[in-house]
Structure formats: structure tokens, C-alpha cells
């Protein structure tokens, strides 16, 4: 049933299901209470089709990549666990952060948020494995936590079928191979998904805590923090709730803590933003993005990877417009995806990683998931199969043909 974002907030604040009015729900017979372990087992079994579909798509992508890399005589392990940003995080885990701003372009590691390298360092003390293996294990485990959280959001809003399809579509994104690399996208998406699910079910403290952890993982954590805080404040206007207030306060603390710590470390209040200037990641409202598109498609002939990035950005804008117009998403999801798009598209930084930056924006896929949920199997199966094959092909292209970072 379609609904407006604001109309759903009363249900969100109370933590009650909102697809069926309470007056129309039949009251089930009382059941004996079950322990947390039993409830978690039931929830996992309910999500099993989504997790199996996710695993199948990503294993296909990994096999295609590994076969392709072998033919190219490239090291699979190095590319997945130690290349590009993986190396930045591994070095932070080993040596820590810089204590000066420096004067070199894209050389200051304070641009990278701390939670993932901290987990790598902690994991080294537990797992008898190389540092790169620890980072990869964290990303791998986080990808399934993310898939589970994404399913919970889709199932909560539109039912189990939509939840499974939403997860499968997330697994089929063109740069989804990054989900099983030593990058932060899977960890960040896990925190985002469970934070948004907690908002939808009125668990404000959990929502704020997950948003705070997201804010310690990636700069775009401020988007999910805003989604939680804005929704909580609107709920507070209808009645005071200490949990909603706690969630609103907790949500931005992770992001603020790291940005503030960088300022103290560098001895200037704008320390983090000064670091970002050296990475050319200033926000200019989208002027830089338009210049990139003009230079790529008017001045020169773009590479295939950059064409794919551009299509992803354009598709994300279309899907966001459909999400707003269709009134099928509650306010916190729209706030998160809207701010995520504003940050990614509004930066004048490098162009090529922007499809990766949008990986956590899984709510943008809900219009497609809902359309497939209404379609017959003879439509759904070939669409998802084709998407999985395209994702596998682009994953290999991204790491083996494209000469830059993903």
C-alpha cells in the first residue's frame, strides 16, 4: 500500500508494524515466550533465501574474477586484500595515523575513518592470519550482516519477497565485487541497514548506536546520522520519548568524534576538512561532477568503466526521483539516500569511485525490487540472471582492465 513518509512516522516512533492497521489485525493465540537464541534462529531462517541468493550471486562474481585473473596472470589475493584502499587501511592498522597535515596531494591517511583499521588491528590479536586476511574476513562477514539488514528493511516495508529481491539486486550492482574486498563498503552498509531497520521498528537507541558506528567507518556516515536524528526529532514533536532523544543524540557522535579528533591532532578546528582539500574532496554543489562528465563525454572518449560509473550515477538519480514520487519509502530512507546522493554528486573529487560510494544506498533499489516482486517468475529469473552476469563481468573489468582504483 503506498504511503507518505510523514504519515508513517507515528508507526515508526511506536515501533509497531504499519502495513496493516492495528484494528484489522487478528490477535494470535498466546504463545510461550522464546529465548533470544531461538528468536535469532527464526529470524535467520526467515532471511535464509535472501542470504543464499546473495551468496550465489557473489560466488559467481568471485569465480568469474578468479578465472579471469588467472588467465591474466594476476594475483587474486593481492587484488582483493592488499590493493589500493586496502593498503591504506592495512598501513593505518599497522602504523597508525599521520600527525601533520603535510603538503602532498592524496597522501594523508587521516582522510580514512578509523573503525575498520581498528577492527583489523583487534582481529590480528585473535586470528592467526596475515593482516590482509583479517581485513578481508571482516569485509566478508560484514557483507552478510549487511545483506541480512537489507532484507529486514525490505521485508518490514513490503514483505519477504521484496526483501529477497532487494538483497539480490544489491548483490548484482556493477561494482559489487568491492563487497568482498578489503574495503569499508560492506561494514558501512551493515551499520546503515541495521540502523534504518531499528528506526523503522522504533528501536531508537540501537538506531543511534549503529549510526554512530557508521560515522566512524566512512565520511558519508553523516547521512545515516541525519536520517536517524531527523526522524527522532519529528517523533519527539508528537510526544517526549527518552529513547528517541537518546537515538537523536547518539547518531552523529561517531562522525563528530573522528572529525573532532583530527582537528585536535592537527591543531586546527578544520583539520579534517583541510585533509580533504588535499584529496580534492571539497563539496561544490555538483559543479565538479558536471565538469567531469563534460570532460569525459565531450572532450575525450571515456573508458568503459567510467561509462558504467556515469550510468550508475544517472540511474541513482532516477531511482531517487521514483522513490520520492512513488511515496513507497518512509522518511528515514529518503533522508539517507538523498543526503548520500548530495554528498557523492556534490563533491568535486575524483570521479571513478563514485559508483562504489553509492553501494550503501540500497534503498534506491526498492522501486526495482517492488516492480520485480509484482512480476512473474519468467520475467524475474532472466532479469536477475542477466544482472548477476553483468555484475560478474564488471567486477573482473574493474580490477583487471580498469587501471585505477575501484
Amino acid at each position: 500500500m503506498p504511503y507518505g513518509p510523514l504519515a508513517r512516522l507515528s508507526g515508526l516512533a511506536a515501533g509497531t508494524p504499519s502495513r496493516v492497521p492495528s484494528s484489522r489485525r487478528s490477535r494470535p493465540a498466546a504463545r510461550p515466550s522464546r529465548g533470544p537464541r531461538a528468536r535469532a534462529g527464526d529470524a535467520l531462517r526467515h532471511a535464509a533465501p535472501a542470504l543464499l541468493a546473495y551468496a550465489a550471486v557473489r560466488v559467481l562474481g568471485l569465480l568469474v574474477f578468479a578465472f579471469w585473473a588467472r588467465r591474466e596472470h594476476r594475483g587474486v589475493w593481492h587484488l582483493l586484500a592488499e590493493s589500493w584502499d586496502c593498503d591504506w587501511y592495512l598501513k593505518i592498522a599497522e602504523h597508525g595515523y599521520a600527525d601533520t597535515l603535510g603538503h602532498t596531494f592524496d597522501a594523508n591517511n587521516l582522510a580514512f575513518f578509523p573503525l575498520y583499521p581498528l577492527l583489523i588491528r583487534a582481529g590480528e590479536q585473535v586470528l592467526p592470519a596475515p593482516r590482509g586476511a583479517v581485513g578481508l574476513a571482516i569485509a566478508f562477514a560484514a557483507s552478510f550482516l549487511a545483506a541480512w539488514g537489507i532484507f529486514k528493511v525490505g521485508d518490514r516495508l513490503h514483505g519477504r519477497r521484496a526483501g529477497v529481491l532487494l538483497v539480490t539486486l544489491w548483490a548484482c550492482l556493477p561494482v559489487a565485487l568491492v563487497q568482498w574486498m578489503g574495503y569499508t563498503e560492506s561494514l558501512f552498509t551493515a551499520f546503515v541497514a541495521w540502523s534504518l531497520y531499528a528506526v523503522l521498528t522504533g528501536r531508537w537507541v540501537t538506531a543511534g548506536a549503529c549510526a554512530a558506528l557508521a560515522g566512524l567507518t566512512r565520511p558519508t556516515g553523516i547521512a545515516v546520522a541525519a536520517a536517524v536524528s531527523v526522524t527522532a526529532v519529528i517523533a519527539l514533536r508528537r510526544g517526549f520519548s527518552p529513547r528517541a532523544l537518546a537515538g537523536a543524540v547518539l547518531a552523529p557522535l561517531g562522525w563528530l568524534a573522528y572529525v573532532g579528533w583530527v582537528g585536535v591532532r592537527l591543531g586546527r578546528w578544520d583539520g579534517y576538512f583541510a585533509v580533504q582539500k588535499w584529496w580534492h574532496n571539497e563539496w561544490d554543489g555538483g559543479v565538479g561532477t558536471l565538469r567531469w562528465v563534460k570532460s569525459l563525454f565531450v572532450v575525450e572518449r571515456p573508458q568503459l568503466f567510467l561509462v558504467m560509473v556515469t550510468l550508475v550515477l544517472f540511474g541513482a538519480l532516477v531511482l531517487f526521483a521514483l522513490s520520492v514520487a512513488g511515496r513507497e519509502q518512509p522518511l528515514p530512507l529518503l533522508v539517507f539516500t538523498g543526503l548520500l546522493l548530495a554528498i557523492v554528486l556534490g563533491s568535486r573529487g575524483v570521479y571513478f569511485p563514485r559508483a562504489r560510494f553509492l553501494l550503501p544506498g540500497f534503498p534506491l533499489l526498492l522501486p526495482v525490487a517492488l516492480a520485480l516482486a509484482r512480476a512473474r517468475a519468467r520475467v524475474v529469473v532472466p532479469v536477475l540472471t542477466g544482472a548477476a552476469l553483468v555484475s560478474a563481468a564488471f567486477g573482473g573489468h574493474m580490477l583487471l582492465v580498469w587501471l585505477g582504483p575501484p
Side-chain angles (χ1 to χ4, degrees), residues 54 77 80-81 89-90 93 114-127 129-147 170 178-191 217:
Y54 175 76
W77 176 260
L80 293 179
Y89 289 115
L90 295 177
L115 184 57
Y116 182 59
L118 285 174
L119 290 176
I120 293 174
R121 179 178 293 183
E124 281 187 286
Q125 309 304 315
V126 179
L127 300 176
R131 189 175 294 112
V134 174
L136 200 57
I138 293 170
F140 179 81
S143 74
F144 281 93
L145 285 175
W170 185 66
V178 171
Q179 297 164 8
W180 283 8
M181 292 179 63
Y183 275 57
T184 57
E185 271 69 24
S186 289
L187 184 64
F188 181 67
T189 306
F191 290 134
T217 308

Side-chain angles (χ1 to χ4, degrees), residues 224-237:
V224 68
V228 174
S229 296
V230 167
T231 311
V233 167
I234 294 175
L236 283 168
R237 293 178 62 184

Side-chain angles (χ1 to χ4, degrees), residues 220-227 230 283 320 332-346 358:
T220 44
I222 194 64
V224 68
V230 167
W283 198 84
F320 182 71
L333 273 64
L334 293 176
V335 171
F336 168 65
T337 52
L339 285 178
L340 180 66
L341 280 170
I343 294 169
V344 173
L345 295 176
L358 289 178

Side-chain angles (χ1 to χ4, degrees), residues 380-402:
V380 175
V381 171
V383 167
L384 293 181
T385 301
L389 292 172
V390 170
S391 176
F394 264 113
H397 179 88
M398 176 178 67
L399 292 185
L400 299 171
V401 179
W402 165 246

Side-chain angles (χ1 to χ4, degrees), residues 99 261-271:
D99 55 10
W261 179 81
V262 173
V264 171
R265 190 170 181 84
L266 296 181
R268 49 187 294 180
W269 70 269
D270 64 339

